[in-house]
Amino acid sequence: MTAPSTPRATYRFQFHKDFTFADAEALVPYLDDLGISHLYASPITTARSGSTHGYDVVDPTRINPELGGEDAFRSLVAALRSRDMGVIIDIVPNHMGVAGDENAWWNDVLTHGEGSEFARYFDIDWREKLVLPVLGDPLAETLASGALKVEHNDGRYVLEAYGEHRLPLRDEDQATAATDDIAALIDRQHYRLASWRVANDELNWRRFFTINDLAGLRAEDPIVFDATHALYFRLYAEGLIDGVRVDHVDGLTDPAGYCQQLRARLDAIERPADAPAGPAYIVIEKILADGEPLSTDWGVDGTSGYDFMEQATALLHAPAGADPLAKLWADMSSRSADFAPEELRARQELLAWQFDAQHRRCVEAFAALARTAVECDGLTTGMLHRAIERLLWVFPVYRTYGTGAAAPAADAEIREIVCQRVAEFVPPGEGPVVDQILSWLAGEGPGDAALAAEAVRKFQQLSAPIAAKAVEDTAFYRYGRLLSRNDVGFDAARMSLDIGDFHAAMIDRARDWPSAMLATATHDHKRGEDVRARLAVLSEIPDEWRVRVEHWLAMATPLANAVDPADVYMLLQTLVGAWPAGLRASDARELAAFAKRIVAWQEKALREAKLRSSWEAPEEAYEARCHDLALALLDPARSLTFLDDLTSFLARIVPSADANSLAQVALRYTGPGVPDLYQGTEIADLSLVDPDNRRPVDYAKLQAMLDGTPPPKMALIVRLLAMRREHPGVFAEGSYDLITITGPRAANVLAFNRRHDGATLRCVVALRCADRHLDGIAARDWWADTALASGEVLADLLGEETVSVEILHTDA
C-alpha cells in the first residue's frame, strides 16, 4: 500500500547544512508516530553556500549537496515510502540567488551580456548595461581604495571586489586583463558596477522585493520554465516526490498560466506502478486579502495556508477589544489608532524610495503604450506617474491576474474598489488618467496590444512587492494595537472574525478547496501560533490590560532612556506573548537567554519599521537604548518587582491562552483541508520572527514527550491525527455543516459536523472564555443551559475542557 499524492497531514522541515536529509531520515519514525503522512520540505535545490533557508537557489537542476545531495534524498524518500509516507517539496520559480560567483547562469550573463544564452532567463532591461550594485561606495571611491583587483581564478581572470566578490570578465578581455587599466577594463564589461545604495533608483532588472541578491526569473518563457523545472519533473516521474508548494506565485508574470502549465506537465507524467496515486499535489504561497477569492481554474489544490492562519487567529480574538486597545495604542504611541493611515504612509514611502526604479519603468511602459493610441494624446509621463503612484497607494490586493476575457471576475471587483479608494488622492482634472490605466489593466484600453501586455505586467509585478514590503514588512512593525493581529496575510485593521463568517469560510473551503493547506505556523510567521493565542486573550480583557500596562510603564520609565513609548509598548506585548513556559522571575540564566532573543527581535523590528532605525542606516545609539531597556527589564537584579508582576499576570492569563492554543489545534486538524505542522510546534510555539522561528528543534525531547505523557497540545495533535488516519474520507471529503448553538453562551462556542460515507465527525470548540478562567467560574455555572441544537448541554459535553472532537457513528 502507498500513500496517495494528496497528503493526509504534513510536517514542515527547514533544511540547511546543519539539518540535512540524513537528520530528517532519522526522524521518520517519529513523524509516523505522530500520524504525519507527508514530509513537507523547504527548497531542496542547490542554494547559495551556507544558506539557512534555501530560497536563494543558485542551481535548480541539482539537489543541494549541503543537504546530502540526491543520494541522501533518495535514502530519505525510501525511509518514508517504507512507512507509506510521501514528500512535498517547496519550489522557487520566481527568482534565483545571484550573490557571489555560484550561479553559473548569472555569471554567463555577466560575461556575455545580452548575447548570453541565459540573458532571456532574467528580467533585464538591456537598453543599458546591467546595473550591478555590489559596491560599498561609489565606483570612483572604491577604485581609489584599492578594493577592486584583477585576479586569476580557475583558469580565467576575474574582477575581485573586497576579497569576496568574484565577477567574471568578458572573453575578449582575458588576454589583456592582467595589464589593462582597471578602470578602463571595468568600463568595457557588460555590467556597470555601482554602490548598493543606487539600486532603489537605478536597478534595471527585476529583483525579489528589495533584495539585490535575488534576481527575478522569466518563468513565462518556455525555455526558462523547462530548464528550471526539469529536476522537479524527473523527481515526480521517479516517484520521489508527490507534489510541490510554489513560492511567491504572485511574483510571476502570469500566475494562472504558470500554475495551469505546471499542473498539465505533472499530470502528463507516467509514474512507476508502486508510486503514490496522482494527481500531483500543488499548493501556492498566495496572500489573499479579506474577501478575495482564489480562482478555481488555476489547477492547484489551494494555498499554503496563510488565509486559514488569518481566519483561525482572528476567530480567537474578541471584537469588544478593538476600540479600547486602539485607544490604548494611540495614547501610548501618539500614533494613529487605526491601521489605514500607517498602511498608506508606508506605501507612499516605499514606492517613492525602495521601488522608485521599478515604478519609473512601469510608468515608462504605460507612456510607450499611450504614444500608440490617438485617444491618449495629451497624457503626459507626469500624469501617468501620478496616477500609477496613487493607484498603488490604495491597491487592496497583491495584484490582478488577467486582462480582457482572461481576467477573473474578481479583477473587476478589485478595480471598482480601487476606483473608490483612489478618488480622494487624484489631482484635480486627472481622474480620466486613472480611469485609462484601470481600463488597460482590464484589457480594454486603446493602443498596441503587446505594449499593453508589457505595461500591465510591470504594474502587476510592482503592486505585489509593494503590498508585501509596505504592509507586512513596514506598517506591521509600526502599528501596535495588538501584535497578534500583525502577521503574514493578516488584516491588521480587523480585530476579530465573527463565528458565522468563519463557518462561511469553511463551507466555501469544503466546496472549493478541500485539499488546501491549513497552517497556523510557518517559517515566515512574525509570531508563533501560541504567542498569538496568548496575546489574543488581551482582546478579552482590554481594561485590565491597560491598568497592567500603565503600572509596568511606570516601572519601565526610569530605565527607558529616551526610548519611544511606542517601542516600549511593543516590547511589553512581546514579553507577555513570547515569555517561555515555566520561566521564573528569579532565574537570571534563563532570563538572559530570553533577553538575547528579545534583543534580536528588537533589532529587526526597529529596522523593518524604518522610523527610528533601518537596515540601510542603522541608528545604533537608539537601538542600544532599546536593548538596554529590554536587558534591564529582564534582569532580576534590577527589575524583580516588574518580573514578579509580569509572571503573576502571565499565570492569570495562561489558562485562557492554553485554551486558545487547543482551539487553534482543533480547528486546524478538523477543518476542510490538509493540516501542516511546522517543525517543533507540536508543543508550545512561543517563537518570534525569523531567525527566531528557525531555531534548532530538540527532537530527542519531543520523542521523549511522545513516548511518555505528551503535553496537552501534542496529545491533541496525536489524537486528531490518529482520527484522520482511521477515517481519512470524512476529513478529506466530508461536508462542513455548522451546528446551531442556543443559550447565553452561544457566542462562545463554535461547532460543526463533517459527514462522509456514513461517518460523522463532530467538533465543538469553546472560544473567548477568558472571564471563566480568570474569575474561576465553574463550567456548569458559566455554560448554564447553552446547548447544541441536538439538545446536548455544553456543560456536560465540554465540562472544563476546551475541545470535543468525536466520530459519532459510522453506518455499516
Side-chain angles (χ1 to χ4, degrees):
M1 176 183 172
T2 56
S5 291
T6 298
R8 184 178 68 247
T10 59
Y11 192 100
R12 170 75 178 208
F13 276 139
Q14 290 297 117
F15 287 105
H16 46 82
K17 65 182 178 61
D18 297 318
F19 185 84
T20 66
F21 298 139
D23 295 312
E25 183 176 343
L27 293 169
V28 169
Y30 169 73
L31 300 185
D32 191 20
D33 289 345
L34 280 176
I36 299 298
S37 71
H38 285 67
L39 185 156
Y40 168 29
S42 62
I44 66 171
T45 46
T46 302
R48 186 182 182 188
S49 295
S51 174
T52 59
H53 50 77
Y55 291 96
D56 46 358
V57 176
V58 296
D59 183 0
T61 70
R62 260 194 329 150
I63 294 181
N64 196 340
E66 284 194 344
L67 309 183
E70 186 161 330
D71 288 346
F73 182 71
R74 287 178 176 275
S75 181
L76 168 60
V77 173
L80 289 162
R81 295 298 190 215
S82 72
R83 292 172 177 265
D84 296 325
M85 298 167 71
V87 183
I88 306 299
I89 64 169
D90 206 335
I91 65 173
V92 192
N94 177 69
H95 54 268
M96 292 186 75
V98 295
D101 59 356
E102 297 180 84
N103 189 322
W105 296 353
W106 184 254
N107 285 341
D108 197 82
V109 173
L110 298 183
T111 303
H112 300 106
E114 193 173 4
S116 167
E117 66 175 298
F118 300 106
R120 68 190 299 166
Y121 283 40
F122 302 97
D123 198 356
I124 303 168
D125 183 348
W126 285 107
R127 292 178 297 175
E128 55 187 303
K129 287 184 177 183
L130 185 153
V131 177
L132 206 58
V134 297
L135 303 181
D137 298 295
L139 177 58
E141 292 181 27
T142 307
L143 281 169
S145 73
L148 295 172
K149 298 178 181 179
V150 175
E151 299 286 349
H152 201 259
N153 184 66
D154 290 336
R156 288 182 63 90
Y157 284 102
V158 297
L159 184 65
E160 188 175 271
Y162 308 107
E164 55 177 283
H165 295 289
R166 290 187 178 86
L167 305 173
L169 297 172
R170 300 185 312 161
D171 293 343
E172 305 92 308
D173 293 318
Q174 290 299 311
T176 59
T179 57
D180 277 0
D181 172 73
I182 191 168
L185 177 66
I186 291 171
D187 191 56
R188 291 197 299 271
Q189 301 311 305
H190 295 290
Y191 50 84
R192 174 168 69 86
L193 286 180
S195 164
W196 65 271
R197 292 187 181 277
V198 311
N200 293 338
D201 300 318
E202 299 182 4
L203 205 66
N204 61 338
W205 45 274
R206 182 170 57 87
R207 59 186 175 177
F208 174 70
F209 293 172
T210 59
I211 304 175
N212 296 338
D213 292 345
L214 299 175
L217 282 168
R218 299 182 61 252
E220 68 273 18
D221 185 319
I223 291 175
V224 180
F225 181 90
D226 287 345
T228 54
H229 290 68
L231 174 64
Y232 311 138
F233 295 147
R234 177 171 66 81
L235 296 176
Y236 185 71
E238 294 183 33
L240 295 173
I241 64 172
D242 303 306
V244 298
R245 177 260 199 191
V246 180
D247 181 62
H248 189 47
V249 75
D250 277 343
L252 302 172
T253 292
D254 179 11
Y258 168 86
C259 290
Q260 290 161 355
Q261 183 180 15
L262 181 64
R263 167 62 69 193
R265 291 289 294 274
L266 285 169
D267 285 357
I269 292 172
E270 290 191 19
R271 305 245 286 168
D274 60 350
Y281 184 65
I282 303 175
V283 291
I284 55 176
E285 183 195 31
K286 169 78 185 89
I287 304 300
L288 293 168
D290 182 31
E292 179 188 5
L294 178 63
S295 182
T296 56
D297 64 356
W298 285 20
V300 300
D301 290 284
T303 73
S304 57
Y306 288 122
D307 44 330
F308 178 79
M309 188 165 89
E310 153 68 337
Q311 292 158 352
T313 301
L315 184 68
L316 300 179
H317 288 70
D323 291 341
L325 288 175
K327 186 177 188 308
L328 175 59
W329 164 247
D331 291 345
M332 293 290 162
S333 67
S334 299
R335 298 183 70 85
S336 171
D338 299 324
F339 179 67
E342 295 288 10
E343 177 179 350
L344 175 62
R345 180 182 171 187
R347 283 177 174 270
Q348 291 170 330
E349 290 176 353
L350 267 68
L351 184 60
W353 171 42
Q354 291 188 330
F355 292 93
D356 180 66
Q358 196 172 343
H359 180 201
R360 283 188 287 104
R361 293 184 187 280
C362 177
V363 172
E364 290 169 5
F366 277 98
L369 169 60
R371 288 192 291 271
T372 68
V374 175
E375 301 93 325
C376 297
D377 186 36
L379 256 65
T380 67
T381 299
M383 292 176 187
L384 292 166
H385 185 282
R386 288 187 291 275
I388 292 168
E389 174 185 66
R390 283 153 174 78
L391 287 170
L392 291 169
W393 287 354
V394 300
F395 219 68
V397 296
Y398 262 48
R399 58 171 288 169
T400 54
Y401 293 97
T403 58
D411 278 11
E413 297 176 15
I414 291 165
R415 289 191 297 273
E416 181 61 31
I417 293 171
V418 171
C419 193
Q420 295 170 6
R421 289 186 178 184
V422 78
E424 66 177 295
F425 302 108
V426 177
E430 295 190 5
V433 186
V434 171
D435 293 340
Q436 183 59 73
I437 291 173
L438 290 173
S439 293
W440 277 322
L441 290 177
E444 299 169 354
D448 182 84
L451 291 177
E454 178 67 3
V456 170
R457 175 184 77 85
K458 288 186 179 295
F459 185 94
Q460 291 171 332
Q461 289 183 311
L462 175 56
S463 65
I466 282 291
K469 293 301 294 181
V471 179
E472 294 169 8
D473 289 346
T474 303
F476 278 7
Y477 289 95
R478 296 178 176 182
Y479 183 68
R481 175 174 65 172
L482 192 58
L483 295 181
S484 48
R485 294 300 301 129
N486 300 3
D487 219 307
V488 181
F490 284 23
D491 179 2
R494 177 174 68 182
M495 175 61 72
S496 179
L497 182 66
D498 180 77
I499 289 175
D501 291 337
F502 183 84
H503 279 312
M506 294 306 105
I507 290 169
D508 289 346
R509 185 180 291 273
R511 181 189 65 237
D512 297 332
W513 304 108
S515 299
M517 198 169 273
L518 307 175
T520 49
T522 77
H523 64 287
D524 274 338
H525 67 232
K526 300 190 184 302
R527 286 161 198 88
E529 60 186 30
D530 297 315
V531 174
R532 299 194 307 270
R534 187 184 289 173
L535 289 177
V537 177
L538 305 183
S539 69
E540 299 187 66
I541 53 169
D543 295 336
E544 178 178 342
W545 171 242
R546 174 184 272 272
V547 171
R548 201 63 81 131
V549 166
E550 290 173 345
H551 180 52
W552 292 342
L553 283 173
M555 288 188 275
T557 297
L559 305 171
N561 177 22
V563 175
D564 190 284
D567 294 325
V568 178
Y569 184 49
M570 287 191 182
L571 170 62
L572 293 175
Q573 286 191 56
T574 301
L575 293 179
V576 169
W579 188 270
L583 177 58
R584 292 176 290 108
S586 60
D587 191 338
R589 184 176 66 84
E590 290 301 320
L591 282 167
F594 182 44
K596 185 176 180 180
R597 293 175 51 210
I598 292 295
V599 164
W601 162 79
Q602 269 185 326
E603 178 182 281
K604 183 164 186 172
L606 291 168
R607 295 182 182 185
E608 294 285 12
K610 308 170 191 67
L611 293 174
R612 290 168 284 277
S613 190
S614 67
W615 296 109
E616 293 78 7
E619 184 55 57
E620 295 180 356
Y622 182 76
E623 290 180 1
R625 294 199 297 273
C626 292
H627 301 337
D628 289 345
L629 172 61
L631 293 170
L633 289 175
L634 293 173
D635 181 355
R638 302 179 64 185
S639 301
L640 186 58
T641 301
F642 164 76
L643 291 169
D644 281 339
D645 200 63
L646 174 63
T647 52
S648 173
F649 178 71
L650 282 165
R652 180 164 163 73
I653 68 169
V654 158
S656 301
D658 289 346
N660 280 346
S661 175
L662 296 179
Q664 193 167 232
V665 167
L667 295 173
R668 187 170 86 240
Y669 282 96
T670 61
V674 175
D676 177 53
L677 178 55
Y678 180 67
Q679 60 178 32
T681 63
E682 51 267 52
I683 59 174
D685 173 21
L686 299 173
S687 62
L688 297 168
V689 70
D690 66 276
D692 194 67
N693 59 13
R694 303 175 190 177
R695 287 171 294 152
V697 177
D698 187 344
Y699 282 105
K701 174 184 175 182
L702 295 180
Q703 183 70 68
M705 288 180 171
L706 186 61
D707 292 342
T709 303
K713 182 182 179 183
M714 177 185 273
L716 181 58
I717 290 172
V718 171
R719 184 165 75 85
L720 295 179
L721 283 174
M723 293 176 72
R724 294 184 74 94
R725 177 179 267 163
E726 185 177 354
H727 303 279
V730 75
F731 290 96
E733 302 177 57
S735 62
Y736 183 98
D737 307 312
L738 67 88
I739 298 175
T740 301
I741 311 294
T742 61
R745 297 292 181 179
N748 298 98
V749 62
L750 178 147
F752 58 88
N753 288 321
R754 301 200 60 202
R755 298 185 175 95
H756 175 72
D757 198 22
T760 298
L761 167 81
R762 185 181 68 189
C763 178
V764 182
V765 179
L767 297 171
R768 308 166 191 163
C769 301
D771 57 342
R772 179 169 79 83
H773 298 118
L774 295 175
D775 297 335
I777 303 172
R780 184 161 299 280
D781 294 334
W782 196 79
W783 287 113
D785 60 354
T786 305
L788 305 184
S790 62
E792 290 179 85
V793 178
L794 268 293
D796 295 330
L797 183 62
L798 287 177
E800 300 294 336
E801 302 299 319
T802 299
V803 171
S804 170
V805 180
E806 300 175 85
I807 298 292
L808 296 178
H809 59 80
T810 302
D811 296 338

